Amino acid sequence: MDYFINQIIHFDSINGLIKLIDNDNSTIQLSRPGSRLLTELISRRGDTMTREELLQLVWEEHGLRPSGSNLSNHISLLRKTFSQLGMNENIIITVPKKGFRLDAKVDLTRFYHHDNNDTIENIKTKKITIPIIPNEYTLVPKIKKMHLVLMIIISLIIILFILNRYSFNSRKDDSLEIGSCQMINLSEDKNSVEKIKILESLINKRQIDCKTRKSTIYFRFSNFFPEKDYDQSAIFLTQCQQNRNNRLTQCESYLSSTIKKP
C-alpha cells in the first residue's frame, strides 16, 4: 500500500521504502519491523497505540521476541528517518505511560495542481507474482508476451473491481473460510469441493498466512481464452489484511496460469 504523509513523504509499506515525493534519490529502506511499526501507526493515526499493542502486532505476531528497548529504538529510527527527509516537525508523539501516536495527514492518493484544478493520480498497482500451482496442473512453459500482458491487465481490472465495489461486509453466500481467512468468490458460479482443494493447495504453496491474522481473500477462477480447443485457466487471488477495526490496511495479489492439453 502506498501512503502519502503530509503530501511530503511517500511510504511504500509493501517494500518498506520511504522517500520524498518525486525524489527517488532520497529513498531509504526500512527494516521489516520498522515498516510494520509505521504501518500500524498509520492505520491508527490520531489514536494512541499502547506499547503492548505495538509489541504484539509488530513482533509477537511475526514470531519475533518483543522488547521495550526494541520498540523505543525503532521509534527513534523512524523519527531520524523523517528528519533526514526534511520533516522537522515530530509527527510520532510519545504519550507518557501509554504509548505512541502518529499526528499527520495520511492519504492513499497523490494530489497535484494543474491549471488551478485538482487531479488525482491513482494508487500505484502492486507487482503481480506467478506462484507454483497445484501438483495436478502444469505451469505453462512459455507464454507469449502478448498473452502475459493480457493476463496482467485482467488481474489489475479485478483488483480495481475489488477495491471499488467490495468491502469486508461482502455477501455471506459467496464466502467460505479457510483458517482465519474469509474467502470471497468473485465468479458467478458457486464454490465447489474441487475449487476449495485448489485454493487450499495454492495457499499452502505460497505460504499465505491464514493462521495468525484475520484477513479476506478475494478469488476468481476463469479461462483466459475460452474458445481454444484445449483447457486453460487462471486463478486471480488477492489477500487483504484487516486491522482491529475491520478496515482494509493492505492487499497483496497473486496470479496463477495453467494449461491442460488434451
Side-chain angles (χ1 to χ4, degrees):
M1 185 75 72
D2 289 324
Y3 298 101
F4 297 91
I5 304 172
N6 288 346
Q7 289 299 314
I8 298 174
I9 303 294
H10 174 199
F11 172 48
D12 175 0
S13 64
I14 300 297
N15 298 303
L17 301 176
I18 188 169
K19 66 174 185 176
L20 290 171
I21 293 177
D22 291 335
N23 187 351
D24 292 337
N25 293 328
S26 64
T27 301
I28 298 174
Q29 176 72 61
L30 299 179
S31 65
R32 290 185 179 180
S35 180
R36 291 195 295 267
L37 177 59
L38 182 55
T39 301
E40 294 296 340
L41 289 171
I42 287 174
S43 70
R44 295 270 300 277
R45 57 190 177 277
D47 296 330
T48 298
M49 297 192 70
T50 66
R51 287 177 170 270
E52 291 74 18
E53 285 180 307
L54 291 171
L55 289 173
Q56 179 182 356
L57 293 171
V58 177
W59 280 273
E60 284 186 12
E61 291 189 1
H62 297 272
L64 301 176
R65 179 178 297 177
S67 73
S69 60
N70 272 343
L71 175 57
S72 297
N73 288 338
H74 279 84
I75 289 290
S76 177
L77 287 173
L78 286 178
R79 286 170 172 163
K80 288 180 180 178
T81 298
F82 285 124
S83 178
Q84 289 174 5
L85 294 174
M87 185 176 284
N88 295 323
E89 59 178 316
N90 181 21
I91 62 174
I92 301 179
I93 307 301
T94 299
V95 182
K97 298 182 180 180
K98 290 186 178 181
F100 301 95
R101 181 181 72 247
L102 183 73
D103 278 351
K105 180 181 178 182
V106 181
D107 299 296
L108 299 181
T109 53
R110 167 80 191 285
F111 292 86
Y112 293 91
H113 294 281
H114 179 68
D115 295 334
N116 297 323
N117 293 320
D118 289 339
T119 59
I120 299 178
E121 178 186 59
N122 290 330
I123 301 174
K124 294 183 180 179
T125 304
K126 299 176 180 60
K127 181 175 66 175
I128 304 298
T129 59
I130 302 180
I132 300 174
I133 54 179
N135 294 332
E136 61 268 27
Y137 290 86
T138 304
L139 185 65
V140 180
K142 291 184 179 180
I143 302 177
K144 293 182 179 180
K145 184 177 181 180
M146 182 181 68
H147 294 173
L148 181 60
V149 170
L150 178 60
M151 287 188 290
I152 292 176
I153 291 174
I154 293 172
S155 66
L156 297 183
I157 291 174
I158 291 174
I159 294 171
L160 292 176
F161 178 77
I162 292 171
L163 295 178
N164 282 293
R165 294 194 58 188
Y166 282 80
S167 69
F168 288 103
N169 294 320
S170 301
R171 296 174 298 172
K172 296 296 183 180
D173 58 341
D174 289 334
S175 67
L176 59 99
E177 291 185 354
I178 297 179
S180 61
C181 293
Q182 182 186 11
M183 311 297 295
I184 304 297
N185 187 356
L186 299 182
S187 305
E188 293 296 329
D189 54 334
K190 298 298 181 180
N191 301 321
S192 66
V193 174
E194 182 181 1
K195 278 187 179 180
I196 295 173
K197 289 182 178 179
I198 293 174
L199 287 171
E200 289 177 339
S201 179
L202 182 57
I203 286 171
N204 291 332
K205 284 283 188 182
R206 297 301 299 163
Q207 297 182 341
I208 298 173
D209 186 3
C210 281
K211 296 180 180 180
T212 62
R213 195 166 187 182
K214 186 177 180 182
S215 65
T216 297
I217 293 180
Y218 301 90
F219 67 92
R220 182 184 181 93
F221 287 72
S222 62
N223 289 340
F224 41 84
F225 299 117
E227 298 181 359
K228 292 290 185 181
D229 56 358
Y230 52 85
D231 292 334
Q232 348 83 36
S233 65
I235 303 173
F236 304 99
L237 186 151
T238 296
Q239 183 186 33
C240 297
Q241 300 289 342
Q242 294 174 249
N243 62 16
R244 292 177 178 271
N245 297 322
N246 288 329
R247 295 179 59 186
L248 180 149
T249 57
Q250 64 182 39
C251 295
E252 186 170 356
S253 302
Y254 304 88
L255 165 65
S256 289
S257 58
T258 65
I259 281 183
K260 293 166 62 179
K261 293 186 177 180

